[in-house]
mmCIF file of all heavy atoms in Angstrom:
data_model
loop_
_atom_site.group_PDB
_atom_site.id
_atom_site.type_symbol
_atom_site.label_atom_id
_atom_site.label_comp_id
_atom_site.label_asym_id
_atom_site.label_seq_id
_atom_site.Cartn_x
_atom_site.Cartn_y
_atom_site.Cartn_z
ATOM 1 N N THR A 15 -24.945 9.267 -16.357
ATOM 2 C CA THR A 15 -23.981 8.829 -15.290
ATOM 3 C C THR A 15 -24.804 8.062 -14.206
ATOM 4 O O THR A 15 -24.344 6.935 -13.753
ATOM 5 C CB THR A 15 -23.335 10.011 -14.688
ATOM 6 O OG1 THR A 15 -22.566 10.649 -15.688
ATOM 7 C CG2 THR A 15 -22.405 9.603 -13.544
ATOM 8 N N TYR A 35 -16.531 -2.566 -11.368
ATOM 9 C CA TYR A 35 -16.685 -1.161 -10.758
ATOM 10 C C TYR A 35 -15.864 -0.189 -11.576
ATOM 11 O O TYR A 35 -16.377 0.845 -12.116
ATOM 12 C CB TYR A 35 -16.352 -1.193 -9.323
ATOM 13 C CG TYR A 35 -16.335 0.159 -8.629
ATOM 14 C CD1 TYR A 35 -17.508 0.683 -8.215
ATOM 15 C CD2 TYR A 35 -15.134 0.871 -8.431
ATOM 16 C CE1 TYR A 35 -17.509 1.972 -7.543
ATOM 17 C CE2 TYR A 35 -15.119 2.081 -7.804
ATOM 18 C CZ TYR A 35 -16.336 2.584 -7.345
ATOM 19 O OH TYR A 35 -16.318 3.852 -6.785
ATOM 20 N N TYR A 43 -17.232 7.543 -18.659
ATOM 21 C CA TYR A 43 -16.463 8.655 -19.264
ATOM 22 C C TYR A 43 -16.689 8.665 -20.776
ATOM 23 O O TYR A 43 -16.977 9.732 -21.374
ATOM 24 C CB TYR A 43 -14.961 8.538 -18.971
ATOM 25 C CG TYR A 43 -14.624 8.962 -17.564
ATOM 26 C CD1 TYR A 43 -13.968 8.007 -16.722
ATOM 27 C CD2 TYR A 43 -14.730 10.205 -17.046
ATOM 28 C CE1 TYR A 43 -13.578 8.306 -15.427
ATOM 29 C CE2 TYR A 43 -14.304 10.613 -15.782
ATOM 30 C CZ TYR A 43 -13.758 9.648 -15.024
ATOM 31 O OH TYR A 43 -13.366 10.002 -13.793
ATOM 32 N N LEU A 46 -20.118 9.797 -21.926
ATOM 33 C CA LEU A 46 -20.355 11.222 -21.833
ATOM 34 C C LEU A 46 -19.660 11.963 -22.974
ATOM 35 O O LEU A 46 -20.080 12.959 -23.450
ATOM 36 C CB LEU A 46 -19.842 11.795 -20.478
ATOM 37 C CG LEU A 46 -20.633 11.258 -19.224
ATOM 38 C CD1 LEU A 46 -20.226 11.995 -17.971
ATOM 39 C CD2 LEU A 46 -22.139 11.337 -19.376
ATOM 40 N N ARG A 79 -9.029 8.944 -20.512
ATOM 41 C CA ARG A 79 -9.936 8.000 -19.841
ATOM 42 C C ARG A 79 -9.873 6.572 -20.462
ATOM 43 O O ARG A 79 -10.098 5.556 -19.796
ATOM 44 C CB ARG A 79 -11.372 8.493 -19.991
ATOM 45 C CG ARG A 79 -11.629 9.859 -19.332
ATOM 46 C CD ARG A 79 -11.246 9.896 -17.893
ATOM 47 N NE ARG A 79 -9.836 10.153 -17.601
ATOM 48 C CZ ARG A 79 -9.215 10.089 -16.427
ATOM 49 N NH1 ARG A 79 -9.918 9.748 -15.353
ATOM 50 N NH2 ARG A 79 -7.995 10.376 -16.318
ATOM 51 N N LEU A 82 -7.058 5.004 -18.627
ATOM 52 C CA LEU A 82 -7.501 4.554 -17.261
ATOM 53 C C LEU A 82 -8.374 3.335 -17.328
ATOM 54 O O LEU A 82 -8.240 2.431 -16.476
ATOM 55 C CB LEU A 82 -8.272 5.721 -16.646
ATOM 56 C CG LEU A 82 -8.680 5.540 -15.225
ATOM 57 C CD1 LEU A 82 -7.486 5.600 -14.290
ATOM 58 C CD2 LEU A 82 -9.677 6.685 -14.778
ATOM 59 N N PHE A 118 -20.049 3.729 -2.542
ATOM 60 C CA PHE A 118 -18.921 3.661 -3.507
ATOM 61 C C PHE A 118 -19.388 4.025 -4.930
ATOM 62 O O PHE A 118 -18.699 4.734 -5.632
ATOM 63 C CB PHE A 118 -18.376 2.241 -3.527
ATOM 64 C CG PHE A 118 -17.364 1.955 -2.446
ATOM 65 C CD1 PHE A 118 -17.687 1.285 -1.259
ATOM 66 C CD2 PHE A 118 -16.066 2.355 -2.579
ATOM 67 C CE1 PHE A 118 -16.796 0.949 -0.285
ATOM 68 C CE2 PHE A 118 -15.075 2.064 -1.570
ATOM 69 C CZ PHE A 118 -15.436 1.392 -0.450
ATOM 70 N N TRP A 119 -20.510 3.484 -5.340
ATOM 71 C CA TRP A 119 -20.958 3.737 -6.716
ATOM 72 C C TRP A 119 -21.398 5.191 -6.915
ATOM 73 O O TRP A 119 -21.149 5.757 -7.990
ATOM 74 C CB TRP A 119 -22.141 2.792 -7.048
ATOM 75 C CG TRP A 119 -21.632 1.366 -7.276
ATOM 76 C CD1 TRP A 119 -21.503 0.378 -6.352
ATOM 77 C CD2 TRP A 119 -21.242 0.799 -8.503
ATOM 78 N NE1 TRP A 119 -21.035 -0.751 -6.923
ATOM 79 C CE2 TRP A 119 -20.871 -0.529 -8.282
ATOM 80 C CE3 TRP A 119 -21.183 1.271 -9.824
ATOM 81 C CZ2 TRP A 119 -20.372 -1.407 -9.264
ATOM 82 C CZ3 TRP A 119 -20.750 0.472 -10.838
ATOM 83 C CH2 TRP A 119 -20.344 -0.884 -10.562
ATOM 84 N N MET A 120 -22.011 5.794 -5.931
ATOM 85 C CA MET A 120 -22.383 7.169 -6.049
ATOM 86 C C MET A 120 -21.221 8.096 -6.016
ATOM 87 O O MET A 120 -21.242 9.182 -6.655
ATOM 88 C CB MET A 120 -23.406 7.526 -4.962
ATOM 89 C CG MET A 120 -24.808 6.906 -5.115
ATOM 90 S SD MET A 120 -25.589 7.258 -6.725
ATOM 91 C CE MET A 120 -25.114 5.853 -7.713
ATOM 92 N N ALA A 121 -20.163 7.695 -5.219
ATOM 93 C CA ALA A 121 -18.918 8.539 -5.239
ATOM 94 C C ALA A 121 -18.318 8.528 -6.627
ATOM 95 O O ALA A 121 -17.832 9.501 -7.056
ATOM 96 C CB ALA A 121 -18.008 7.996 -4.194
ATOM 97 N N GLN A 122 -18.337 7.308 -7.294
ATOM 98 C CA GLN A 122 -17.806 7.181 -8.605
ATOM 99 C C GLN A 122 -18.677 8.066 -9.577
ATOM 100 O O GLN A 122 -18.107 8.714 -10.447
ATOM 101 C CB GLN A 122 -17.817 5.727 -9.061
ATOM 102 C CG GLN A 122 -17.285 5.559 -10.523
ATOM 103 C CD GLN A 122 -16.872 4.179 -10.853
ATOM 104 O OE1 GLN A 122 -15.676 3.926 -10.808
ATOM 105 N NE2 GLN A 122 -17.804 3.316 -11.113
ATOM 106 N N ALA A 123 -19.964 8.039 -9.465
ATOM 107 C CA ALA A 123 -20.831 8.868 -10.303
ATOM 108 C C ALA A 123 -20.452 10.385 -10.174
ATOM 109 O O ALA A 123 -20.314 11.029 -11.160
ATOM 110 C CB ALA A 123 -22.314 8.633 -9.924
ATOM 111 N N PHE A 124 -20.376 10.811 -8.925
ATOM 112 C CA PHE A 124 -19.931 12.219 -8.716
ATOM 113 C C PHE A 124 -18.589 12.523 -9.380
ATOM 114 O O PHE A 124 -18.398 13.611 -9.993
ATOM 115 C CB PHE A 124 -19.893 12.465 -7.222
ATOM 116 C CG PHE A 124 -19.481 13.914 -6.855
ATOM 117 C CD1 PHE A 124 -20.359 14.969 -6.994
ATOM 118 C CD2 PHE A 124 -18.193 14.105 -6.472
ATOM 119 C CE1 PHE A 124 -19.987 16.224 -6.670
ATOM 120 C CE2 PHE A 124 -17.791 15.461 -6.094
ATOM 121 C CZ PHE A 124 -18.696 16.498 -6.248
ATOM 122 N N TRP A 125 -17.668 11.613 -9.135
ATOM 123 C CA TRP A 125 -16.266 11.867 -9.673
ATOM 124 C C TRP A 125 -16.246 11.906 -11.177
ATOM 125 O O TRP A 125 -15.603 12.768 -11.762
ATOM 126 C CB TRP A 125 -15.355 10.759 -9.114
ATOM 127 C CG TRP A 125 -13.933 10.951 -9.560
ATOM 128 C CD1 TRP A 125 -13.203 10.069 -10.409
ATOM 129 C CD2 TRP A 125 -13.029 11.949 -9.174
ATOM 130 N NE1 TRP A 125 -11.950 10.534 -10.569
ATOM 131 C CE2 TRP A 125 -11.780 11.668 -9.810
ATOM 132 C CE3 TRP A 125 -13.097 13.027 -8.396
ATOM 133 C CZ2 TRP A 125 -10.692 12.497 -9.685
ATOM 134 C CZ3 TRP A 125 -12.033 13.897 -8.167
ATOM 135 C CH2 TRP A 125 -10.837 13.649 -8.815
ATOM 136 N N VAL A 126 -16.914 10.958 -11.828
ATOM 137 C CA VAL A 126 -16.967 10.935 -13.305
ATOM 138 C C VAL A 126 -17.564 12.153 -13.843
ATOM 139 O O VAL A 126 -17.020 12.758 -14.811
ATOM 140 C CB VAL A 126 -17.784 9.697 -13.778
ATOM 141 C CG1 VAL A 126 -18.096 9.827 -15.257
ATOM 142 C CG2 VAL A 126 -17.025 8.400 -13.532
ATOM 143 N N PHE A 127 -18.735 12.613 -13.299
ATOM 144 C CA PHE A 127 -19.398 13.833 -13.719
ATOM 145 C C PHE A 127 -18.477 15.039 -13.582
ATOM 146 O O PHE A 127 -18.402 15.924 -14.431
ATOM 147 C CB PHE A 127 -20.684 13.984 -13.058
ATOM 148 C CG PHE A 127 -21.525 15.152 -13.668
ATOM 149 C CD1 PHE A 127 -22.163 14.968 -14.863
ATOM 150 C CD2 PHE A 127 -21.618 16.355 -12.955
ATOM 151 C CE1 PHE A 127 -22.931 16.031 -15.369
ATOM 152 C CE2 PHE A 127 -22.380 17.388 -13.458
ATOM 153 C CZ PHE A 127 -23.040 17.203 -14.719
ATOM 154 N N LEU A 128 -17.846 15.115 -12.408
ATOM 155 C CA LEU A 128 -17.015 16.325 -12.100
ATOM 156 C C LEU A 128 -15.835 16.398 -13.061
ATOM 157 O O LEU A 128 -15.558 17.502 -13.621
ATOM 158 C CB LEU A 128 -16.535 16.257 -10.657
ATOM 159 C CG LEU A 128 -15.667 17.410 -10.158
ATOM 160 C CD1 LEU A 128 -16.409 18.686 -10.137
ATOM 161 C CD2 LEU A 128 -15.049 17.123 -8.756
ATOM 162 N N ILE A 129 -15.190 15.284 -13.295
ATOM 163 C CA ILE A 129 -13.977 15.239 -14.177
ATOM 164 C C ILE A 129 -14.425 15.545 -15.590
ATOM 165 O O ILE A 129 -13.626 16.101 -16.387
ATOM 166 C CB ILE A 129 -13.322 13.867 -14.049
ATOM 167 C CG1 ILE A 129 -12.653 13.701 -12.691
ATOM 168 C CG2 ILE A 129 -12.297 13.648 -15.189
ATOM 169 C CD1 ILE A 129 -11.525 14.698 -12.444
ATOM 170 N N SER A 130 -15.614 15.173 -15.915
ATOM 171 C CA SER A 130 -16.078 15.397 -17.361
ATOM 172 C C SER A 130 -16.518 16.829 -17.609
ATOM 173 O O SER A 130 -16.739 17.088 -18.878
ATOM 174 C CB SER A 130 -17.235 14.406 -17.698
ATOM 175 O OG SER A 130 -16.875 13.055 -17.525
ATOM 176 N N LEU A 131 -16.700 17.617 -16.654
ATOM 177 C CA LEU A 131 -17.299 18.968 -16.799
ATOM 178 C C LEU A 131 -16.555 19.861 -17.872
ATOM 179 O O LEU A 131 -17.199 20.454 -18.704
ATOM 180 C CB LEU A 131 -17.365 19.690 -15.490
ATOM 181 C CG LEU A 131 -18.548 19.351 -14.584
ATOM 182 C CD1 LEU A 131 -18.489 20.044 -13.284
ATOM 183 C CD2 LEU A 131 -19.906 19.701 -15.319
ATOM 184 N N GLU A 200 -2.787 12.719 -12.742
ATOM 185 C CA GLU A 200 -4.248 12.748 -12.860
ATOM 186 C C GLU A 200 -4.766 14.143 -12.487
ATOM 187 O O GLU A 200 -5.565 14.720 -13.212
ATOM 188 C CB GLU A 200 -4.845 11.660 -11.943
ATOM 189 C CG GLU A 200 -6.397 11.736 -11.883
ATOM 190 C CD GLU A 200 -7.069 11.047 -13.029
ATOM 191 O OE1 GLU A 200 -6.369 10.400 -13.930
ATOM 192 O OE2 GLU A 200 -8.305 11.085 -13.166
ATOM 193 N N ILE A 201 -4.350 14.646 -11.375
ATOM 194 C CA ILE A 201 -4.843 15.947 -10.923
ATOM 195 C C ILE A 201 -4.302 17.072 -11.830
ATOM 196 O O ILE A 201 -5.079 17.969 -12.238
ATOM 197 C CB ILE A 201 -4.361 16.230 -9.511
ATOM 198 C CG1 ILE A 201 -4.997 15.283 -8.549
ATOM 199 C CG2 ILE A 201 -4.634 17.736 -9.084
ATOM 200 C CD1 ILE A 201 -4.416 15.233 -7.117
ATOM 201 N N TRP A 204 -6.258 17.467 -15.194
ATOM 202 C CA TRP A 204 -7.632 18.046 -15.082
ATOM 203 C C TRP A 204 -7.558 19.490 -14.800
ATOM 204 O O TRP A 204 -8.470 20.263 -15.245
ATOM 205 C CB TRP A 204 -8.461 17.259 -14.107
ATOM 206 C CG TRP A 204 -8.606 15.830 -14.624
ATOM 207 C CD1 TRP A 204 -8.151 14.708 -13.976
ATOM 208 C CD2 TRP A 204 -9.123 15.456 -15.889
ATOM 209 N NE1 TRP A 204 -8.414 13.623 -14.804
ATOM 210 C CE2 TRP A 204 -8.977 14.063 -15.957
ATOM 211 C CE3 TRP A 204 -9.639 16.167 -16.993
ATOM 212 C CZ2 TRP A 204 -9.326 13.335 -17.127
ATOM 213 C CZ3 TRP A 204 -10.048 15.440 -18.068
ATOM 214 C CH2 TRP A 204 -9.894 14.013 -18.161
#
Side-chain angles (χ1 to χ4, degrees):
T15 298
Y35 175 80
Y43 283 117
L46 296 191
R79 299 304 85 186
L82 187 68
F118 274 103
W119 286 89
M120 290 302 97
Q122 176 161 263
F124 176 79
W125 181 247
V126 167
F127 186 75
L128 181 65
I129 290 299
S130 302
L131 280 176
E200 175 79 6
I201 294 168
W204 298 118

